Amino acid sequence: MKRALTRIINWGHELLAEVLEPGDLAVDLTAGNGHDTLMLQRLVGDGGRVISFDVQEQALQATERRLRDSGAAVRRLDAATARSAEPGVILVAASHAELDRYVAAEPKGIVANLGFLPGGDRSLITRPETTLTALAKSCELLAPGGRMAVVVYPGHSGGKEEAEQVDAFFRSLPEQTFSVLCLRVSNRCGAPYLQVAEKNCRSEVPQQQSAKSVPE
Ligand SMILES: C[S@@+](CC[C@H](N)C(=O)[O-])C[C@H]1O[C@@H](n2cnc3c(N)ncnc32)[C@H](O)[C@@H]1O
């Protein structure tokens, strides 16, 4: 099916769909209205797990409704129970900066959609301090071969500062461990864009390194 070329969220979903399989663990760092959580739940299926974070009750309720309407099993859990391996969607009322308290296994897919809650309070935005902590912890936890897709919004007040720090974070990821892709709409100023990091499989050797190891 042909998709709108510049609908950047869709590209994030496509890239996660390439790595997520039924039964996998996935994480949504910003549940919001639940669109991304639902996408992850569909990919991992009823036998998989999705752990979704948000700091706003309005967002958690919207996500819970969306998932229940789709027929998925949804629970609200604390740190101790979120770490258990039961399948379903687990909604966590906490900052994504606390990710490692709630996620014990290695997620195969992680998504974050930064900025404010559409239809909510536009002054409640994701902040660089917590976003960067969450991204760093996500990179640690990510399963080999797994991907983290982050939609960045430079257009709102405070968005540009966060975008600069997020870009610097992705640029700093070592190429021995991560492959990093940035996807942008080139001709629209302030448009959201996508940063994706894939954790290389342990057996993968970067091309430059393997070329050097061949005797001349
Ligand atoms: C753009 S919305 C997310 C959209 C969502 N992924 C969807 O599919 O509808 C951003 C969300 O990030 C949440 N947020 C802001 N700071 C956060 C934090 N420190 N931890 C977790 N969520 C946070 C906001 O409450 C808001 O709901």
Side-chain angles (χ1 to χ4, degrees):
M1 185 183 59
K2 188 177 175 204
R3 296 186 185 278
L5 184 67
T6 56
R7 180 109 174 106
I8 222 74
I9 289 175
N10 287 345
W11 292 113
H13 290 186
E14 295 267 331
L15 291 168
L16 288 169
E18 286 182 1
V19 295
L20 279 168
E21 292 175 349
D24 278 343
L25 169 65
V27 172
D28 186 350
L29 296 173
T30 55
N33 287 317
H35 299 282
D36 294 320
T37 299
L38 180 59
M39 172 276 299
L40 293 174
Q41 194 280 329
R42 287 187 169 146
L43 292 173
V44 303
D46 292 339
R49 274 190 309 147
V50 182
I51 305 180
S52 292
F53 293 81
D54 210 290
V55 286
Q56 289 193 67
E57 181 55 29
Q58 185 188 341
L60 292 165
Q61 280 181 15
T63 300
E64 191 164 6
R65 254 193 323 272
R66 189 174 301 282
L67 271 289
R68 281 207 199 291
D69 289 351
S70 80
V74 198
R75 291 166 287 158
R76 294 270 194 123
L77 291 178
D78 59 20
T81 36
R83 292 171 79 93
S84 83
E86 269 200 42
V89 176
I90 296 159
L91 299 180
V92 180
S95 169
H96 42 222
E98 295 183 62
L99 175 71
D100 51 332
R101 289 187 59 218
Y102 296 86
V103 181
E106 295 181 330
K108 200 74 180 296
I110 300 178
V111 71
N113 210 321
L114 304 178
F116 56 82
L117 176 68
D121 183 346
R122 286 178 167 237
S123 69
L124 286 173
I125 55 172
T126 51
R127 303 267 171 203
E129 317 79 71
T130 42
T131 299
L132 291 191
T133 303
L135 296 185
K137 288 182 176 179
S138 294
C139 283
E140 284 279 314
L141 284 166
L142 198 61
R147 287 179 181 167
M148 172 172 75
V150 179
V151 180
V152 187
Y153 294 80
H156 61 270
S157 168
K160 188 161 174 277
E161 293 72 20
E162 183 177 49
E164 283 167 1
Q165 295 191 42
V166 169
D167 290 355
F169 173 83
F170 276 92
R171 273 198 307 274
S172 75
L173 291 174
E175 66 169 300
Q176 294 83 352
T177 321
F178 291 96
S179 302
V180 178
L181 171 79
C182 180
L183 204 57
R184 284 176 189 271
V185 180
S186 313
N187 62 349
R188 198 190 324 141
C189 195
Y193 57 91
L194 182 67
Q195 291 276 16
V196 184
E198 178 179 292
K199 195 179 250 187
N200 298 332
C201 289
R202 288 178 186 115
S203 57
E204 276 175 356
V205 181
Q207 276 179 350
Q208 261 186 329
Q209 211 175 310
S210 60
K212 268 189 208 148
S213 65
V214 176
E216 287 171 20

